[in-house]
Amino acid sequence: MKSKSAYIVLAIGAIFVICAICRMFGYLIPGLVIALMSVMAALISLSDVIELSRFRKFGNSIQLIALGIFICSMTLWLLPIDFSLPFAQVIGDSFTILGLGFVIVFFGLKEVFNHTKEDNSKKNYELLKYWKFNITINEYDEMMKLNDIIERLKKLDQDVFPYNKVHNGWACFSDSLVEHWNRWEGPFFDGVNREKYHEFLIALDHTAGEIGNIADTDYRSFSQRKVEMWNESIELTIQPRINNMYVASIEEIVEEINKALLLWGEVKGQIINRYEKERSEQKE
């Protein structure tokens, strides 16, 4: 409907140009016809202004009225009747000025709306970037919390493994992460991070199981060490490795831990890269 209206307006505009040329060359155009043309032009300009408001649904109706007036004016022009009326000139001049006013208002409103739209788009973009970075900050903070615990457990490995002993720190850590994951697949929101993190969880759970398989269950050989996890001081158990040639060696356990930590390094790396990239963009 909008494209059809545009063609009608173009056609009427072309006829206006022809009428103006005819008038310049001395062809008589009745005053009432000119007045009706001015009314029609004012209505078309009014429909353009209405298109920018919440009453845009009335725009097509106004254009149809303008089309009817145009047909009426052309009919009166072609009829061999004198329609000279004393108020025709006043009507023509008034609606010509009114139409010009509507045109100016139309372009003014359009400019205002364009600026408002640009401002809103910019604000929406900045807001989206702000919240996106806040999610990234949360991913980074959660990653660093886990990384702190991992670093403490690695330090405990260095204190325990050389003495052919193991500890249940990786098992406690894995159990807490798996429980958290089973509840809502946390702590990460980003799908790529969750996917890689889940691979790490599987590897860590396997490693914790291997450590449990070689731990001596004689409680008389147990010792304890406290390690901070989740803002709490958790008491971990240190146990000798079973003296059995058929279970995994400490070296094999270290290799399993390193495999899991390689996956953690990938999780950590992609979170850090995204954090650094988006942090730099906040300064732009």
Side-chain angles (χ1 to χ4, degrees):
M1 182 69 184
K2 197 169 182 179
S3 60
K4 292 180 180 178
S5 299
Y7 287 126
I8 291 172
V9 172
L10 287 173
I12 292 173
I15 294 174
F16 269 24
V17 172
I18 294 171
C19 291
I21 294 173
C22 291
R23 187 68 184 90
M24 284 190 294
F25 284 96
Y27 289 94
L28 180 62
I29 300 177
L32 182 58
V33 172
I34 295 176
L36 290 175
M37 286 184 176
S38 298
V39 173
M40 182 195 63
L43 289 174
I44 291 175
S45 299
L46 177 61
S47 70
D48 288 336
V49 174
I50 288 178
E51 283 292 329
L52 299 176
S53 70
R54 61 179 178 174
F55 303 107
R56 61 175 62 89
K57 63 182 180 180
F58 299 109
N60 288 333
S61 299
I62 293 175
Q63 288 184 6
L64 290 175
I65 294 173
L67 179 61
I69 293 175
F70 172 74
I71 294 172
C72 181
S73 66
M74 292 296 100
T75 302
L76 293 176
W77 190 10
L78 296 175
L79 290 176
I81 304 174
D82 183 11
F83 287 100
S84 299
L85 298 176
F87 55 84
Q89 182 68 39
V90 176
I91 294 174
D93 292 343
S94 300
F95 276 92
T96 297
I97 296 171
L98 187 61
L100 180 60
F102 285 143
V103 170
I104 295 173
V105 169
F106 169 73
F107 283 107
L109 288 176
K110 191 173 182 182
E111 190 71 18
V112 170
F113 290 154
N114 285 340
H115 279 299
T116 303
K117 187 176 180 180
E118 290 175 5
D119 291 341
N120 288 338
S121 297
K122 186 176 181 181
K123 288 178 182 177
N124 289 338
Y125 172 75
E126 293 296 331
L127 188 61
L128 179 62
K129 189 167 72 170
Y130 170 78
W131 285 113
K132 182 181 176 184
F133 183 55
N134 270 272
I135 293 175
T136 301
I137 290 175
N138 179 75
E139 304 268 292
Y140 180 82
D141 290 342
E142 292 296 329
M143 179 275 294
M144 289 305 297
K145 291 176 185 177
L146 302 186
N147 196 69
D148 288 343
I149 298 173
I150 289 173
E151 291 299 321
R152 295 181 191 119
L153 293 177
K154 286 166 63 178
K155 175 64 171 60
L156 184 57
D157 289 347
Q158 295 171 3
D159 295 340
V160 170
F161 288 166
Y163 299 98
N164 201 36
K165 294 181 179 181
V166 293
H167 61 84
N168 66 339
W170 293 110
C172 290
F173 185 50
S174 175
D175 289 345
S176 61
L177 295 184
V178 169
E179 181 182 1
H180 201 183
W181 175 266
N182 289 337
R183 285 181 180 177
W184 63 286
E185 297 187 355
F188 302 116
F189 294 98
D190 183 87
V192 176
N193 293 339
R194 283 210 306 267
E195 183 178 354
K196 184 60 65 177
Y197 175 70
H198 186 243
E199 293 179 25
F200 162 70
L201 285 185
I202 294 173
L204 181 64
D205 183 64
H206 171 74
T207 301
E210 290 293 312
I211 293 174
N213 289 337
I214 71 168
D216 193 334
T217 57
D218 185 358
Y219 69 92
R220 292 173 298 180
S221 61
F222 290 1
S223 61
Q224 278 70 40
R225 177 80 68 85
K226 289 186 177 181
V227 172
E228 186 178 345
M229 293 186 189
W230 320 118
N231 297 322
E232 295 183 19
S233 185
I234 306 297
E235 188 170 77
L236 303 179
T237 301
I238 299 173
Q239 303 163 249
R241 172 185 172 272
I242 297 175
N243 188 18
N244 189 322
M245 61 181 296
Y246 296 106
V247 299
S249 65
I250 294 294
E251 289 75 16
E252 290 172 327
I253 292 298
V254 171
E255 186 177 344
E256 291 296 322
I257 293 174
N258 288 337
K259 288 180 183 178
L261 293 182
L262 280 175
L263 292 171
W264 172 249
E266 294 180 23
V267 177
K268 179 180 175 181
Q270 63 191 28
I271 291 175
I272 290 175
N273 289 338
R274 181 170 177 177
Y275 171 80
E276 290 177 345
K277 179 178 180 294
E278 293 187 11
R279 187 174 187 273
S280 66
E281 291 174 352
Q282 298 301 307
K283 308 299 181 182
E284 296 177 356

